Coordinates of all heavy atoms in Angstrom, one line a residue:
I74 N -47.9 27.8 -20.9 CA -48.8 28.8 -21.6 C -50.1 28.9 -20.9 O -50.7 30.0 -20.7 CB -48.9 28.5 -23.1 CG1 -47.6 28.7 -23.8 CG2 -50.0 29.4 -23.8 CD1 -47.5 28.1 -25.2
G75 N -50.7 27.8 -20.4 CA -51.9 27.8 -19.7 C -51.8 28.6 -18.4 O -52.6 29.4 -18.0
F76 N -50.7 28.3 -17.7 CA -50.4 29.1 -16.4 C -50.3 30.6 -16.7 O -50.9 31.4 -16.0 CB -49.1 28.5 -15.8 CG -48.6 29.4 -14.7 CD1 -49.1 29.4 -13.4 CD2 -47.5 30.3 -15.0 CE1 -48.6 30.3 -12.4 CE2 -47.0 31.1 -14.0 CZ -47.6 31.1 -12.7
L77 N -49.5 30.9 -17.7 CA -49.3 32.3 -18.1 C -50.6 33.0 -18.5 O -51.0 34.1 -18.0 CB -48.3 32.4 -19.3 CG -47.8 33.8 -19.7 CD1 -47.1 34.4 -18.6 CD2 -46.9 33.6 -20.9
A78 N -51.4 32.3 -19.3 CA -52.7 32.8 -19.7 C -53.6 33.1 -18.5 O -54.3 34.1 -18.4 CB -53.4 31.9 -20.7
E79 N -53.6 32.1 -17.6 CA -54.5 32.3 -16.4 C -54.0 33.5 -15.6 O -54.8 34.3 -15.1 CB -54.4 31.0 -15.5 CG -55.2 31.1 -14.3 CD -56.4 30.2 -14.3 OE1 -56.3 29.1 -14.8 OE2 -57.4 30.6 -13.7
Q80 N -52.7 33.6 -15.4 CA -52.2 34.7 -14.6 C -52.4 36.1 -15.3 O -52.8 37.1 -14.6 CB -50.7 34.6 -14.4 CG -50.3 33.3 -13.6 CD -50.9 33.3 -12.2 OE1 -50.8 34.2 -11.4 NE2 -51.7 32.2 -11.9
L81 N -52.2 36.2 -16.6 CA -52.3 37.4 -17.3 C -53.7 37.8 -17.7 O -54.1 39.0 -17.7 CB -51.4 37.5 -18.5 CG -49.9 37.3 -18.2 CD1 -49.1 37.3 -19.5 CD2 -49.4 38.5 -17.3
F82 N -54.5 36.8 -18.1 CA -55.8 37.1 -18.8 C -57.0 36.4 -18.2 O -58.1 36.5 -18.7 CB -55.7 36.7 -20.3 CG -54.4 37.1 -20.9 CD1 -53.6 36.1 -21.5 CD2 -54.0 38.4 -21.0 CE1 -52.5 36.4 -22.1 CE2 -52.8 38.7 -21.6 CZ -52.0 37.8 -22.2
G83 N -56.8 35.7 -17.1 CA -57.9 34.9 -16.5 C -59.2 35.6 -16.3 O -60.2 35.0 -16.7
G84 N -59.2 36.8 -15.9 CA -60.5 37.5 -15.7 C -61.0 38.1 -17.0 O -62.2 38.6 -17.0
Q85 N -60.3 38.1 -18.1 CA -60.7 38.7 -19.4 C -61.4 37.7 -20.3 O -61.9 38.1 -21.4 CB -59.5 39.3 -20.1 CG -58.7 40.3 -19.3 CD -57.4 40.7 -20.1 OE1 -57.4 40.8 -21.3 NE2 -56.4 41.0 -19.3
L86 N -61.4 36.5 -20.0 CA -61.8 35.5 -20.9 C -63.3 35.1 -20.7 O -63.7 34.9 -19.5 CB -60.9 34.2 -20.8 CG -59.4 34.5 -21.1 CD1 -58.6 33.3 -20.8 CD2 -59.2 34.9 -22.5
E87 N -64.0 34.8 -21.8 CA -65.4 34.3 -21.7 C -65.4 33.0 -21.0 O -64.5 32.2 -21.1 CB -65.9 34.1 -23.1 CG -66.6 35.2 -23.7 CD -67.0 34.9 -25.1 OE1 -67.7 33.8 -25.3 OE2 -66.8 35.6 -26.0
D88 N -66.4 32.7 -20.2 CA -66.7 31.4 -19.6 C -65.5 30.8 -18.8 O -65.5 29.6 -18.6 CB -67.3 30.4 -20.6 CG -66.4 29.9 -21.6 OD1 -65.2 30.1 -21.5 OD2 -66.9 29.3 -22.6
D89 N -64.5 31.6 -18.5 CA -63.4 31.2 -17.7 C -62.6 30.0 -18.3 O -61.9 29.3 -17.7 CB -63.8 30.8 -16.3 CG -62.7 30.8 -15.3 OD1 -61.8 31.7 -15.4 OD2 -62.6 30.0 -14.4
R90 N -62.8 29.8 -19.6 CA -62.0 28.8 -20.4 C -60.8 29.6 -21.0 O -60.9 30.7 -21.4 CB -62.8 28.2 -21.5 CG -64.0 27.4 -20.9 CD -63.6 26.3 -20.0 NE -64.7 25.5 -19.6 CZ -64.6 24.4 -18.9 NH1 -63.5 24.0 -18.4 NH2 -65.7 23.7 -18.6
L91 N -59.6 28.9 -20.9 CA -58.4 29.6 -21.4 C -58.2 29.6 -22.9 O -58.2 30.6 -23.5 CB -57.2 29.0 -20.7 CG -57.1 29.2 -19.2 CD1 -55.9 28.5 -18.6 CD2 -57.1 30.7 -18.8
F92 N -58.1 28.4 -23.5 CA -57.9 28.2 -24.9 C -58.1 26.8 -25.3 O -58.2 25.9 -24.4 CB -56.6 28.7 -25.4 CG -55.4 28.2 -24.6 CD1 -54.8 27.0 -25.0 CD2 -54.8 28.8 -23.5 CE1 -53.7 26.4 -24.4 CE2 -53.8 28.3 -22.9 CZ -53.2 27.1 -23.3
E93 N -58.2 26.5 -26.6 CA -58.3 25.2 -27.1 C -56.9 24.9 -27.7 O -56.4 25.7 -28.5 CB -59.4 25.1 -28.2 CG -59.5 23.7 -28.8 CD -60.6 23.6 -29.8 OE1 -61.6 24.3 -29.6 OE2 -60.5 22.9 -30.8
V94 N -56.4 23.7 -27.5 CA -55.2 23.2 -28.2 C -55.7 22.3 -29.3 O -56.4 21.4 -29.2 CB -54.3 22.3 -27.2 CG1 -53.2 21.7 -28.0 CG2 -53.9 23.1 -26.0
A95 N -55.3 22.7 -30.5 CA -55.7 22.0 -31.7 C -54.5 21.2 -32.2 O -53.5 21.8 -32.7 CB -56.2 22.9 -32.8
V96 N -54.5 19.9 -32.0 CA -53.4 19.1 -32.5 C -53.7 18.7 -34.0 O -54.7 18.2 -34.3 CB -53.3 17.8 -31.7 CG1 -52.1 16.9 -32.2 CG2 -53.1 18.1 -30.2
L97 N -52.7 19.1 -34.8 CA -52.9 19.0 -36.3 C -51.8 18.1 -36.9 O -50.6 18.5 -37.0 CB -52.9 20.4 -36.9 CG -53.0 20.4 -38.4 CD1 -54.4 20.0 -38.9 CD2 -52.7 21.9 -38.9
H98 N -52.2 16.9 -37.3 CA -51.2 16.0 -38.0 C -51.6 16.1 -39.5 O -52.6 16.7 -39.9 CB -51.3 14.6 -37.5 CG -50.8 14.4 -36.1 ND1 -50.6 13.2 -35.6 CD2 -50.4 15.3 -35.2 CE1 -50.1 13.3 -34.3 NE2 -50.0 14.6 -34.1
H99 N -50.7 15.5 -40.4 CA -51.0 15.7 -41.8 C -50.6 14.4 -42.6 O -49.8 13.6 -42.1 CB -50.3 16.9 -42.4 CG -48.8 16.7 -42.4 ND1 -48.1 16.3 -43.5 CD2 -47.9 17.0 -41.5 CE1 -46.8 16.3 -43.3 NE2 -46.6 16.8 -42.0
T100 N -51.2 14.2 -43.7 CA -50.8 13.1 -44.6 C -49.4 13.3 -45.2 O -48.9 14.5 -45.2 CB -51.9 13.0 -45.8 OG1 -51.9 14.2 -46.5 CG2 -53.3 12.7 -45.2
Q101 N -48.8 12.3 -45.7 CA -47.5 12.3 -46.3 C -46.4 12.9 -45.4 O -45.5 13.6 -45.9 CB -47.6 13.1 -47.6 CG -48.5 12.6 -48.6 CD -48.6 13.6 -49.8 OE1 -47.7 14.3 -50.2 NE2 -49.8 13.5 -50.5
C102 N -46.5 12.6 -44.1 CA -45.6 13.2 -43.2 C -44.2 12.4 -43.3 O -44.2 11.2 -43.4 CB -46.1 13.0 -41.7 SG -45.0 13.8 -40.5
G103 N -43.2 13.2 -43.3 CA -41.8 12.6 -43.4 C -41.5 11.7 -42.3 O -40.6 10.8 -42.4
T104 N -42.1 11.9 -41.1 CA -41.8 11.0 -40.0 C -42.3 9.6 -40.2 O -41.9 8.7 -39.6 CB -42.4 11.5 -38.7 OG1 -43.8 11.5 -38.8 CG2 -41.9 12.9 -38.3
G105 N -43.2 9.4 -41.2 CA -43.6 8.1 -41.6 C -42.5 7.2 -42.0 O -42.5 5.9 -41.8
L106 N -41.4 7.8 -42.5 CA -40.2 7.0 -42.8 C -39.6 6.3 -41.7 O -38.9 5.3 -41.8 CB -39.2 7.9 -43.5 CG -39.6 8.5 -44.8 CD1 -38.6 9.6 -45.2 CD2 -39.7 7.5 -45.9
L107 N -39.9 6.8 -40.4 CA -39.3 6.2 -39.2 C -39.9 4.8 -38.9 O -39.5 4.1 -38.0 CB -39.5 7.1 -38.1 CG -38.7 8.4 -38.2 CD1 -39.1 9.4 -37.1 CD2 -37.2 8.2 -38.1
A108 N -41.0 4.5 -39.6 CA -41.6 3.1 -39.4 C -40.7 2.0 -40.0 O -40.8 0.9 -39.6 CB -43.0 3.1 -40.1
D109 N -39.8 2.4 -40.9 CA -38.9 1.5 -41.5 C -37.7 1.3 -40.6 O -37.0 2.2 -40.2 CB -38.4 2.0 -42.8 CG -37.3 1.1 -43.4 OD1 -37.7 0.0 -44.0 OD2 -36.1 1.5 -43.3
P110 N -37.4 0.0 -40.1 CA -36.3 -0.2 -39.1 C -35.0 0.3 -39.6 O -34.2 0.8 -38.8 CB -36.4 -1.7 -38.9 CG -37.7 -2.1 -39.3 CD -38.2 -1.2 -40.4
G111 N -34.6 0.1 -40.9 CA -33.3 0.5 -41.4 C -33.2 2.0 -41.4 O -32.2 2.5 -41.0
F112 N -34.2 2.7 -41.8 CA -34.2 4.1 -41.9 C -34.1 4.6 -40.4 O -33.4 5.6 -40.1 CB -35.4 4.7 -42.6 CG -35.5 6.2 -42.7 CD1 -34.9 6.8 -43.8 CD2 -36.0 7.0 -41.7 CE1 -34.9 8.2 -43.9 CE2 -36.1 8.3 -41.9 CZ -35.5 8.9 -43.0
R113 N -34.9 4.0 -39.5 CA -35.0 4.5 -38.1 C -33.6 4.3 -37.5 O -33.1 5.2 -36.7 CB -36.0 3.7 -37.4 CG -36.3 4.1 -36.0 CD -37.5 3.5 -35.4 NE -37.4 2.0 -35.4 CZ -38.3 1.3 -36.1 NH1 -39.2 1.8 -36.8 NH2 -38.2 -0.1 -36.0
R114 N -32.9 3.2 -37.8 CA -31.6 2.9 -37.2 C -30.6 4.0 -37.7 O -29.8 4.6 -36.9 CB -31.1 1.6 -37.6 CG -29.8 1.2 -36.9 CD -29.4 -0.3 -37.2 NE -29.6 -0.7 -38.6 CZ -30.7 -1.5 -39.0 NH1 -31.6 -1.8 -38.1 NH2 -30.8 -1.8 -40.3
Q115 N -30.6 4.4 -38.9 CA -29.8 5.4 -39.5 C -30.1 6.8 -38.9 O -29.2 7.6 -38.5 CB -29.9 5.5 -41.0 CG -29.3 4.3 -41.7 CD -29.5 4.4 -43.2 OE1 -30.4 5.1 -43.7 NE2 -28.7 3.7 -44.0
A116 N -31.4 7.0 -38.7 CA -31.8 8.3 -38.1 C -31.3 8.4 -36.6 O -30.9 9.5 -36.2 CB -33.3 8.5 -38.1
A117 N -31.4 7.3 -35.9 CA -30.9 7.2 -34.5 C -29.4 7.5 -34.5 O -29.0 8.3 -33.6 CB -31.2 5.9 -33.9
E118 N -28.7 7.0 -35.4 CA -27.2 7.2 -35.4 C -26.9 8.7 -35.7 O -26.1 9.3 -35.1 CB -26.6 6.3 -36.4 CG -26.5 4.8 -36.0 CD -26.1 3.9 -37.1 OE1 -25.7 4.4 -38.2 OE2 -26.2 2.7 -36.9
A119 N -27.7 9.2 -36.6 CA -27.5 10.6 -37.1 C -27.9 11.7 -36.1 O -27.3 12.7 -36.0 CB -28.2 10.9 -38.4
T120 N -28.9 11.3 -35.3 CA -29.5 12.3 -34.4 C -29.1 12.1 -32.9 O -29.3 13.0 -32.1 CB -31.0 12.4 -34.5 OG1 -31.5 11.1 -34.0 CG2 -31.5 12.7 -35.9
G121 N -28.7 10.9 -32.6 CA -28.5 10.6 -31.2 C -29.7 10.2 -30.4 O -29.7 10.0 -29.2
R122 N -30.9 10.2 -31.1 CA -32.2 9.9 -30.4 C -32.3 8.4 -30.4 O -32.0 7.7 -31.4 CB -33.3 10.5 -31.1 CG -33.3 12.1 -30.9 CD -34.6 12.7 -31.4 NE -35.7 12.3 -30.5 CZ -37.0 12.3 -31.0 NH1 -37.3 12.7 -32.2 NH2 -37.9 11.8 -30.2
P123 N -32.9 7.8 -29.3 CA -33.1 6.4 -29.3 C -34.1 5.9 -30.4 O -35.0 6.6 -30.7 CB -33.7 6.2 -27.9 CG -33.4 7.4 -27.1 CD -33.3 8.5 -28.1
E124 N -33.8 4.7 -30.9 CA -34.7 4.2 -31.9 C -36.2 4.1 -31.4 O -37.1 4.4 -32.2 CB -34.2 2.8 -32.4 CG -33.0 2.9 -33.3 CD -32.7 1.5 -33.9 OE1 -33.6 0.9 -34.5 OE2 -31.5 1.1 -33.8
A125 N -36.4 3.7 -30.2 CA -37.8 3.6 -29.7 C -38.5 5.0 -29.7 O -39.7 5.0 -30.0 CB -37.8 3.1 -28.3
A126 N -37.7 6.0 -29.4 CA -38.4 7.4 -29.4 C -38.7 7.8 -30.8 O -39.7 8.4 -31.1 CB -37.4 8.4 -28.8
L127 N -37.8 7.4 -31.8 CA -38.1 7.8 -33.2 C -39.3 7.0 -33.7 O -40.1 7.5 -34.4 CB -36.8 7.5 -34.0 CG -35.7 8.4 -33.8 CD1 -34.4 7.9 -34.5 CD2 -36.0 9.9 -34.2
E128 N -39.3 5.7 -33.3 CA -40.5 4.9 -33.8 C -41.8 5.4 -33.2 O -42.8 5.5 -33.9 CB -40.3 3.4 -33.3 CG -41.4 2.5 -33.8 CD -41.1 1.0 -33.4 OE1 -40.3 0.8 -32.5 OE2 -41.7 0.2 -34.1
A129 N -41.8 5.9 -32.0 CA -43.0 6.4 -31.3 C -43.4 7.7 -32.0 O -44.6 8.1 -31.9 CB -42.7 6.6 -29.8
S130 N -42.5 8.4 -32.6 CA -42.8 9.7 -33.2 C -43.3 9.6 -34.7 O -43.7 10.6 -35.3 CB -41.6 10.7 -33.2 OG -40.6 10.3 -34.0
A131 N -43.3 8.4 -35.3 CA -43.7 8.2 -36.6 C -45.2 8.5 -36.8 O -46.0 8.1 -36.1 CB -43.4 6.8 -37.1
V132 N -45.5 9.3 -37.9 CA -46.9 9.5 -38.3 C -47.1 8.8 -39.6 O -46.8 9.3 -40.7 CB -47.2 11.0 -38.4 CG1 -48.6 11.2 -38.9 CG2 -47.0 11.7 -37.1
T133 N -47.6 7.5 -39.5 CA -47.9 6.8 -40.7 C -49.4 6.9 -41.1 O -49.8 6.9 -42.2 CB -47.5 5.3 -40.6 OG1 -48.2 4.8 -39.4 CG2 -46.0 5.1 -40.4
D134 N -50.2 7.0 -40.0 CA -51.7 7.2 -40.2 C -52.1 8.4 -39.3 O -52.3 8.2 -38.1 CB -52.5 6.0 -39.9 CG -54.0 6.2 -40.2 OD1 -54.5 7.3 -40.2 OD2 -54.6 5.1 -40.3
P135 N -52.2 9.6 -39.9 CA -52.4 10.8 -39.0 C -53.7 10.7 -38.3 O -53.8 11.3 -37.2 CB -52.4 11.9 -40.0 CG -52.6 11.4 -41.3 CD -52.1 10.0 -41.3
S136 N -54.7 10.0 -38.8 CA -56.0 9.9 -38.0 C -55.9 9.1 -36.8 O -56.6 9.3 -35.8 CB -57.1 9.4 -38.9 OG -56.8 8.1 -39.3
I137 N -54.9 8.2 -36.7 CA -54.7 7.4 -35.5 C -53.7 8.2 -34.6 O -54.0 8.2 -33.4 CB -54.0 6.0 -35.9 CG1 -55.1 5.2 -36.6 CG2 -53.5 5.3 -34.7 CD1 -54.6 3.9 -37.2
T138 N -52.6 8.7 -35.1 CA -51.7 9.4 -34.3 C -52.2 10.6 -33.6 O -51.9 11.0 -32.5 CB -50.4 9.7 -35.0 OG1 -50.6 10.4 -36.2 CG2 -49.6 8.4 -35.4
V139 N -53.1 11.4 -34.4 CA -53.6 12.6 -33.8 C -54.5 12.3 -32.6 O -54.5 12.9 -31.6 CB -54.3 13.5 -34.8 CG1 -55.7 13.0 -35.2 CG2 -54.4 14.9 -34.3
K140 N -55.3 11.2 -32.7 CA -56.1 10.7 -31.6 C -55.3 10.3 -30.4 O -55.6 10.7 -29.2 CB -57.1 9.6 -32.0 CG -58.2 10.0 -32.9 CD -59.0 8.9 -33.4 CE -60.0 9.4 -34.4 NZ -60.8 8.3 -35.1
A141 N -54.2 9.6 -30.6 CA -53.3 9.2 -29.5 C -52.7 10.4 -28.8 O -52.6 10.5 -27.6 CB -52.2 8.3 -30.1
D142 N -52.3 11.4 -29.6 CA -51.7 12.6 -29.0 C -52.7 13.5 -28.3 O -52.4 14.0 -27.2 CB -51.1 13.5 -30.1 CG -49.7 12.9 -30.5 OD1 -49.3 11.9 -29.9 OD2 -49.0 13.5 -31.4

Side-chain angles (χ1 to χ4, degrees):
I74 292 168
F76 167 78
L77 189 63
E79 177 112 38
Q80 296 303 306
L81 297 177
F82 318 121
Q85 302 173 33
L86 302 171
E87 269 181 48
D88 68 13
D89 202 34
R90 299 297 186 178
L91 295 176
F92 53 86
E93 178 177 329
V94 176
V96 180
L97 177 67
H98 291 188
H99 68 94
T100 60
Q101 302 175 25
C102 187
T104 64
L106 296 169
L107 294 169
D109 175 80
F112 185 88
R113 187 171 54 248
R114 186 174 40 261
Q115 290 177 337
E118 290 170 8
T120 64
R122 292 193 62 207
E124 283 188 54
L127 292 172
E128 184 175 22
S130 69
V132 175
T133 55
D134 184 339
S136 61
I137 292 172
T138 55
V139 78
K140 289 176 183 174
D142 280 0

